Amino acid sequence: MRLPRFLTPATVVRAHCDLPCGVYDPAQARIEAESIKAIDEKYQANTDPEFRTRALIIKEQRAELVKHHLWVLWTDYFKPNHFEKYPQLHGLFNEATKLAGGGPGGAKSSTDASTAEQLLAKIEEISKIFWETKQA
Amino acid sequence: MRLPRFLTPATVVRAHCDLPCGVYDPAQARIEAESIKAIDEKYQANTDPEFRTRALIIKEQRAELVKHHLWVLWTDYFKPNHFEKYPQLHGLFNEATKLAGGGPGGAKSSTDASTAEQLLAKIEEISKIFWETKQA
Amino acid sequence: MRLPRFLTPATVVRAHCDLPCGVYDPAQARIEAESIKAIDEKYQANTDPEFRTRALIIKEQRAELVKHHLWVLWTDYFKPNHFEKYPQLHGLFNEATKLAGGGPGGAKSSTDASTAEQLLAKIEEISKIFWETKQA
Amino acid sequence: MRLPRFLTPATVVRAHCDLPCGVYDPAQARIEAESIKAIDEKYQANTDPEFRTRALIIKEQRAELVKHHLWVLWTDYFKPNHFEKYPQLHGLFNEATKLAGGGPGGAKSSTDASTAEQLLAKIEEISKIFWETKQA
Amino acid sequence: MRLPRFLTPATVVRAHCDLPCGVYDPAQARIEAESIKAIDEKYQANTDPEFRTRALIIKEQRAELVKHHLWVLWTDYFKPNHFEKYPQLHGLFNEATKLAGGGPGGAKSSTDASTAEQLLAKIEEISKIFWETKQA
Amino acid sequence: MRLPRFLTPATVVRAHCDLPCGVYDPAQARIEAESIKAIDEKYQANTDPEFRTRALIIKEQRAELVKHHLWVLWTDYFKPNHFEKYPQLHGLFNEATKLAGGGPGGAKSSTDASTAEQLLAKIEEISKIFWETKQA
């Protein structure tokens, strides 16, 4: 079982750059996905065409950032032994990045907040595994 | 008094894009600053010239991201009433972004982790005010 | 009193990178803001939906550049003694970057050239102070 | 068996943007990897410190592009039925992007052209599968 | 006469970074231009306003990449002796990059696939000269 | 004869984005080139290896910006009639962007400020023609 995040020791460093510096945090992907959800909600509530065009422009960028942050975790943080222990991990990342993308059912091509919610749920699954491996 | 972060309601959304979507989180700046600190530590522990050059390349990027995330908070999240209530806020942001920069005493021009720690402390001060205003 | 720009010595270098190299010039922000104004004018004069979408895409980028160039001046060029001498400077930069942004009354969320004109006026105020400090 | 590339019909479009437009081509990753190999060779042949620093700066960018192009193929082009038919595909992409990265044995952290050659071989394996699926 | 590409020796390296590493390939510009053509076709076939806005956003990026890849070839690969031998080369590049741009008759400001086809034809002309110079 | 810049009417707008908005200004390229010159001077005056590495990282970026701003002028601003009137224009731009590049005698591969001065002189030649065409 994963400890809730507020119980992880305060000194835990999280890595994300490819020196690698060793600081990773799924929160980076989650914050962008929350942004997508908020944009979808604002989109649905506002029919002004200029606002809607701007919403689509910005959502495209945020979704790209979700994909990027997830890809970095998948390639840079997770190691062969993790993929052995969590055989579903490859699939999870592939599905999550597809959910952030422009294909059918992806957050780029949908303005329905429920798509962003599915993406957030998938990121939460990844996050759970991430923090388990940090505890190990 | 600010509630510790783990007690803030799970449904709080944090905004950061300039739609604006309303999702902000000082964690974005903090994660990059933690990366700078880790890079500095690895730099001091490794005298290989290729490694050190790569460390400087990557630190430059991370420090730029710290500045960017802080600037976004300063301009996009904080409103005139916040600056009235926290008259030190302008100075805090200016000092924090200078600490992430290339001038004397900045994290770009230093490879001493203590500079990154000063930066992290400044971000923590900003974060405290940020979460107070979210509670308000 | 600030000398008109054409009387400043030709050898004056203006700095903007965060080495720092010492070359700064508010013209960078101004040129992008002039672009926003021109885009707004073309937007109003052309109701073709494809043209208008492209105008909004490009305006978003230009406005982001205005913000970036102003942030760089605020953090990298201006020093504590400048903020003491010009106590309005923090507020000026915060207002100018908000005017370039996506909030109410910002150039991203408006296609009215008068918003861009307000932004240009604010940049001119900053520019005036900038050149005064260069003379000092 | 995959047909050699020069026999694929000239009208085949290859997709890579996440509209998605449907145009993908592993050549994008390969060209960047060839660049890494050439940089490594020039690095070994030139001990000038300024040249070597520039080589490391540029190799970092090229390696990041390799990772990006591969990630796009993995998420945007390949579909669940491909992963079923080629169960090694997840692993191949994960290894290839790690080979382009900054960890042990990665092209960012090595200036030995043999690392780039391993990366090129891995991209060739992916490319083979890619063109097989295009024929299907 | 230029040999068809499949007959060029497999060991030919193509350069594109400005170390320079010496690896260039007009395929980079062509792939992006093919993407523009595919986007135009999808745009014409789909009247959904959200899809169309996304198509314009992405086409803008792809067209910018075409321009960039062509500019790199023109400045970094081609040398004075090439411009002497092919006096039409300056004009070809200028026309090709204009065809990828936002002016009248450019691929950014048109959603007609025939514009992208003109761009592809121009890139093919450049490509032909490129491979001739590589043979020389 | 070109009027000195301070006599050009204050309402002249200068264009640079590829809407196109019609606002162009060679000052954008010049400011970056001035930065390169200042970096070279600081590089020569400071033998600290960390400082020198940072200088090379930043110079690479500034030189890339010079190239980009010049390419934009060449493709987006100048029209066929300009190239007829100024037959040297293609060559000027090609030489100027090569001077900003990484080849022999380019500002990326040299830390001698005299290279940056040659680049500045070439930009000044372009600027002269630019302002003549604006007067026309």
Side-chain angles (χ1 to χ4, degrees):
Chain A
M1 196 209 77
R2 173 193 166 222
L3 283 175
R5 182 161 167 197
F6 57 84
L7 293 185
T8 58
T11 54
V12 162
V13 272
R14 303 172 202 82
H16 69 307
C17 83
D18 195 14
L19 181 53
C21 68
V23 179
Y24 297 93
D25 195 334
Q28 293 189 301
R30 181 183 46 76
I31 291 169
E32 303 299 344
E34 284 172 354
S35 172
I36 292 172
K37 189 183 161 193
I39 292 170
D40 283 339
E41 288 165 350
K42 294 202 167 189
Y43 186 94
Q44 295 302 339
N46 192 332
T47 57
D48 176 68
E50 292 172 12
F51 181 86
R52 290 194 146 198
T53 297
R54 290 191 62 239
L56 293 175
I57 294 166
I58 293 168
K59 190 154 67 81
E60 205 73 10
Q61 298 165 347
R62 295 300 143 184
E64 199 56 34
L65 285 171
V66 171
K67 292 172 80 172
H68 180 74
H69 287 308
L70 291 176
W71 284 330
V72 165
L73 286 178
W74 179 63
T75 289
D76 297 351
Y77 173 71
F78 285 107
K79 298 288 176 293
N81 63 310
H82 298 133
F83 293 117
E84 264 177 57
K85 188 167 175 194
Y86 301 95
Q88 78 275 35
L89 208 44
H90 285 315
L92 261 179
F93 271 104
N94 197 262
E95 288 157 26
T97 47
K98 276 183 167 67
L99 267 170
K108 283 186 185 174
S109 47
S110 160
T111 52
D112 187 330
S114 69
T115 307
E117 278 162 13
Q118 288 174 51
L119 173 60
L120 281 162
K122 203 68 94 183
I123 293 172
E124 182 54 30
E125 280 187 74
I126 288 169
S127 187
K128 207 159 163 308
I129 293 173
F130 173 84
W131 291 108
E132 278 175 19
T133 61
K134 295 291 278 189
Q135 300 290 327
Chain B
M1 199 210 73
R2 173 197 167 216
L3 282 175
R5 185 165 167 194
F6 58 84
L7 293 184
T8 58
T11 55
V12 162
V13 272
R14 304 172 199 82
H16 68 308
C17 84
D18 195 13
L19 182 55
C21 68
V23 179
Y24 297 93
D25 195 333
Q28 293 189 302
R30 179 183 46 77
I31 291 169
E32 304 298 344
E34 283 173 355
S35 173
I36 294 171
K37 189 184 161 194
I39 292 169
D40 282 340
E41 288 164 350
K42 295 202 167 190
Y43 186 95
Q44 296 303 338
N46 191 333
T47 56
D48 175 68
E50 292 172 13
F51 181 86
R52 290 194 146 196
T53 297
R54 290 191 61 238
L56 292 175
I57 294 167
I58 293 168
K59 190 154 67 83
E60 206 72 10
Q61 297 165 348
R62 296 299 142 183
E64 199 56 35
L65 285 171
V66 171
K67 292 172 80 171
H68 180 74
H69 287 307
L70 292 175
W71 283 330
V72 166
L73 287 177
W74 179 62
T75 289
D76 297 351
Y77 172 72
F78 285 106
K79 297 287 175 295
N81 63 311
H82 298 134
F83 293 116
E84 263 176 57
K85 188 165 175 198
Y86 302 94
Q88 78 275 35
L89 207 45
H90 284 314
L92 260 178
F93 271 104
N94 196 262
E95 288 157 26
T97 47
K98 276 184 167 65
L99 268 170
K108 282 186 186 174
S109 47
S110 160
T111 51
D112 187 331
S114 68
T115 308
E117 278 162 13
Q118 288 174 53
L119 173 59
L120 280 162
K122 203 67 93 182
I123 292 172
E124 181 53 31
E125 280 188 73
I126 287 169
S127 187
K128 207 161 163 309
I129 293 174
F130 173 84
W131 290 107
E132 279 177 17
T133 61
K134 295 290 282 188
Q135 301 289 327
Chain C
M1 197 209 74
R2 173 195 167 219
L3 281 176
R5 184 165 166 193
F6 57 84
L7 292 184
T8 58
T11 55
V12 162
V13 272
R14 304 173 201 81
H16 67 308
C17 82
D18 195 15
L19 180 55
C21 68
V23 178
Y24 298 93
D25 194 334
Q28 293 189 302
R30 179 182 48 73
I31 291 170
E32 305 298 345
E34 282 172 355
S35 173
I36 293 172
K37 189 182 162 195
I39 292 170
D40 283 339
E41 287 164 351
K42 294 203 167 189
Y43 186 96
Q44 295 302 339
N46 191 334
T47 57
D48 175 67
E50 292 172 12
F51 181 86
R52 290 195 147 197
T53 297
R54 290 191 62 238
L56 293 175
I57 294 167
I58 294 168
K59 190 154 66 83
E60 206 74 10
Q61 298 165 347
R62 295 299 143 185
E64 198 57 33
L65 285 171
V66 171
K67 292 171 80 172
H68 180 74
H69 287 308
L70 291 175
W71 285 330
V72 165
L73 286 178
W74 180 62
T75 290
D76 297 351
Y77 173 72
F78 285 107
K79 297 288 175 296
N81 63 310
H82 297 135
F83 293 117
E84 264 176 56
K85 188 166 174 196
Y86 301 94
Q88 78 275 35
L89 207 45
H90 284 315
L92 260 178
F93 271 103
N94 196 263
E95 289 157 26
T97 48
K98 276 184 166 66
L99 267 170
K108 283 186 186 175
S109 46
S110 159
T111 51
D112 187 331
S114 70
T115 308
E117 278 163 12
Q118 288 174 52
L119 173 60
L120 280 162
K122 202 67 91 181
I123 292 170
E124 182 53 31
E125 279 188 74
I126 288 169
S127 186
K128 207 161 164 309
I129 293 174
F130 173 85
W131 290 107
E132 280 176 17
T133 62
K134 295 290 281 188
Q135 302 289 326
Chain D
M1 199 209 74
R2 174 195 166 217
L3 283 175
R5 185 164 166 194
F6 56 85
L7 293 184
T8 59
T11 55
V12 162
V13 272
R14 304 173 200 80
H16 69 308
C17 83
D18 195 15
L19 181 53
C21 68
V23 179
Y24 298 93
D25 194 333
Q28 293 189 301
R30 179 182 48 76
I31 292 169
E32 305 298 344
E34 283 172 355
S35 173
I36 293 172
K37 189 183 161 196
I39 293 169
D40 282 339
E41 288 164 350
K42 294 204 168 188
Y43 186 94
Q44 295 303 339
N46 191 333
T47 57
D48 175 68
E50 292 172 12
F51 181 86
R52 291 195 145 197
T53 297
R54 289 191 62 239
L56 293 174
I57 294 167
I58 293 168
K59 190 155 66 83
E60 206 73 11
Q61 297 165 348
R62 295 300 143 182
E64 198 57 33
L65 285 171
V66 171
K67 293 171 80 172
H68 179 75
H69 287 307
L70 291 176
W71 284 330
V72 166
L73 286 179
W74 179 64
T75 289
D76 297 351
Y77 172 72
F78 285 106
K79 298 286 175 296
N81 63 311
H82 298 134
F83 293 117
E84 263 175 56
K85 187 165 175 197
Y86 301 94
Q88 77 275 36
L89 207 45
H90 285 315
L92 262 179
F93 272 104
N94 197 261
E95 288 157 26
T97 48
K98 276 183 166 67
L99 268 170
K108 282 185 186 175
S109 47
S110 160
T111 51
D112 187 330
S114 68
T115 308
E117 278 163 13
Q118 289 174 51
L119 173 60
L120 280 162
K122 203 67 94 182
I123 292 171
E124 182 54 30
E125 280 188 72
I126 288 169
S127 187
K128 208 161 162 309
I129 293 174
F130 174 84
W131 290 107
E132 280 176 16
T133 62
K134 295 291 279 188
Q135 301 290 327
Chain E
M1 197 209 75
R2 174 197 167 217
L3 283 176
R5 185 166 167 192
F6 56 85
L7 293 184
T8 58
T11 55
V12 162
V13 274
R14 304 172 200 81
H16 69 307
C17 82
D18 194 15
L19 180 52
C21 67
V23 180
Y24 298 92
D25 195 333
Q28 293 189 301
R30 179 184 46 76
I31 292 170
E32 304 298 344
E34 283 173 354
S35 173
I36 293 172
K37 190 185 161 194
I39 292 170
D40 282 340
E41 288 164 350
K42 294 203 167 189
Y43 186 95
Q44 295 303 339
N46 191 333
T47 57
D48 176 67
E50 292 172 12
F51 180 87
R52 290 194 146 197
T53 297
R54 290 191 62 238
L56 293 174
I57 294 167
I58 293 168
K59 190 155 66 83
E60 206 73 12
Q61 297 165 348
R62 295 300 142 183
E64 199 56 34
L65 285 171
V66 171
K67 292 171 80 171
H68 180 74
H69 288 307
L70 292 175
W71 284 330
V72 166
L73 286 179
W74 180 64
T75 290
D76 297 351
Y77 173 72
F78 285 106
K79 298 288 175 295
N81 63 310
H82 298 134
F83 294 117
E84 263 176 58
K85 187 165 175 196
Y86 301 96
Q88 77 274 36
L89 207 45
H90 285 315
L92 261 179
F93 272 103
N94 197 262
E95 288 156 27
T97 47
K98 277 183 166 66
L99 268 170
K108 284 185 185 174
S109 48
S110 160
T111 52
D112 187 330
S114 68
T115 309
E117 278 161 13
Q118 288 174 51
L119 173 59
L120 280 162
K122 204 66 94 182
I123 292 172
E124 182 54 30
E125 279 188 74
I126 288 169
S127 186
K128 207 162 164 310
I129 294 174
F130 174 83
W131 290 107
E132 279 176 17
T133 61
K134 294 291 279 189
Q135 301 290 327
Chain F
M1 199 209 75
R2 172 194 167 217
L3 282 176
R5 184 164 167 193
F6 57 84
L7 291 185
T8 58
T11 55
V12 162
V13 272
R14 303 171 202 82
H16 68 307
C17 82
D18 195 14
L19 181 55
C21 68
V23 179
Y24 298 93
D25 194 333
Q28 293 189 301
R30 180 183 46 76
I31 292 169
E32 304 298 345
E34 283 173 353
S35 173
I36 293 171
K37 189 184 161 193
I39 293 169
D40 282 339
E41 288 164 350
K42 294 202 167 190
Y43 185 94
Q44 296 302 338
N46 191 334
T47 58
D48 176 67
E50 292 172 12
F51 181 86
R52 290 194 146 196
T53 296
R54 290 191 61 238
L56 293 175
I57 294 167
I58 294 168
K59 190 155 67 81
E60 206 72 10
Q61 297 165 347
R62 295 300 143 184
E64 199 56 35
L65 285 170
V66 171
K67 292 172 79 171
H68 180 74
H69 287 308
L70 292 175
W71 284 330
V72 166
L73 287 179
W74 180 63
T75 289
D76 297 351
Y77 172 72
F78 285 106
K79 299 287 176 294
N81 63 310
H82 298 133
F83 293 116
E84 264 176 57
K85 189 166 174 195
Y86 301 94
Q88 77 274 36
L89 208 44
H90 285 314
L92 261 178
F93 272 103
N94 197 262
E95 288 157 26
T97 47
K98 276 184 167 67
L99 268 170
K108 283 186 185 173
S109 46
S110 159
T111 51
D112 186 331
S114 69
T115 307
E117 277 162 14
Q118 289 174 51
L119 172 61
L120 281 162
K122 204 68 92 182
I123 293 171
E124 182 54 31
E125 279 187 74
I126 288 169
S127 187
K128 206 160 163 307
I129 293 174
F130 173 84
W131 289 107
E132 279 177 19
T133 62
K134 295 291 280 187
Q135 301 289 326

